[in-house]
Amino acid sequence: MFRPFALIALLFALSGCNLLPKGDSGAAKPKIAANGGTMPATPIAQKCLAQLGQTGSRFAAIPDQYYGAGCSTLNAVRLSDLRGDQASFALANLGPVACPTATAFAGWARFGVDRAAQRMLGSPLARIETMGSYNCRNVSGTSRRSAHSNAQAIDISAFILADGRRISVAGDWNNGTQAEREFLKTIHRSACKRFGTVLGPAYNAAHKDHFHLETGDSNFCR
């Protein structure tokens, strides 16, 4: 004889198979990067984050964002600091950066800037001052979107050394000591080996106070 309480228990068990916590769609949850933040799901993005992690940089992966009008931050991170030969160094005024751009930046900062500072100026790097990264805007004087509109470019304004000296593009490209001028020109040239487009004071007046570092398929260094 089939007892009523057994039927109730069976129905409850079957219904429980499809129960989900409130708000849970049942989709796979995003992975969390070792350095914090949501890890993008694509294998290419994961590979880039792994490469960036190997540089010793501290960062958090951020969710993809589309802002309209051709602007977005995809496969992007927020960098907290970068690793040098002797210690980490800080970053100022830096927003979201596409992972490939961040990886190129980390390599240049350590092997191009930090080592040049030690060799040419006698002090390691302590901080890099920037004028930002992501910015939904066009290339100046054109209707073409800037690489900043996709977080694929960084503008660098100055370098703070561990001994307290501040070497700025605006103040020292032309008017610094001989060692400071040569330092800036050396790291500008080294950036050209890692980035597709590098622009500085020698390019035009719009870049008199910063280096524009941009990843991509182009090959332009001025």
Side-chain angles (χ1 to χ4, degrees), residues 16-36:
C17 294
N18 294 316
L19 288 177
L20 292 171
K22 185 177 181 180
D24 191 341
S25 67
K29 289 180 170 57
K31 295 181 179 180
I32 303 300
N35 302 67

Side-chain angles (χ1 to χ4, degrees), residues 55-113:
T55 68
S57 304
R58 293 181 59 198
F59 65 91
I62 60 177
D64 289 350
Q65 293 285 333
Y66 293 88
Y67 302 100
C71 298
S72 62
T73 50
L74 307 180
N75 186 19
V77 300
R78 287 190 180 276
L79 288 168
S80 301
D81 57 49
L82 302 178
R83 182 70 191 177
D85 283 339
Q86 301 176 17
S88 295
F89 39 86
L91 302 166
N93 195 39
L94 188 64
V97 181
C99 183
T101 307
T103 303
F105 182 42
W108 173 71
R110 179 173 186 174
F111 301 111
V113 182

Side-chain angles (χ1 to χ4, degrees), residues 138-182:
N138 292 342
V139 175
S140 180
T142 76
S143 59
R144 179 170 56 88
R145 280 301 189 200
S146 165
H148 285 288
S149 67
N150 298 119
Q152 295 175 348
I154 304 172
D155 288 340
I156 310 294
S157 57
F159 307 88
I160 311 301
L161 306 186
D163 63 11
R165 279 180 289 173
R166 181 177 185 270
I167 315 299
S168 72
V169 178
D172 299 307
W173 180 265
N174 292 316
N175 299 317
T177 65
Q178 181 177 349
E180 291 167 347
R181 295 195 307 271
E182 188 56 35

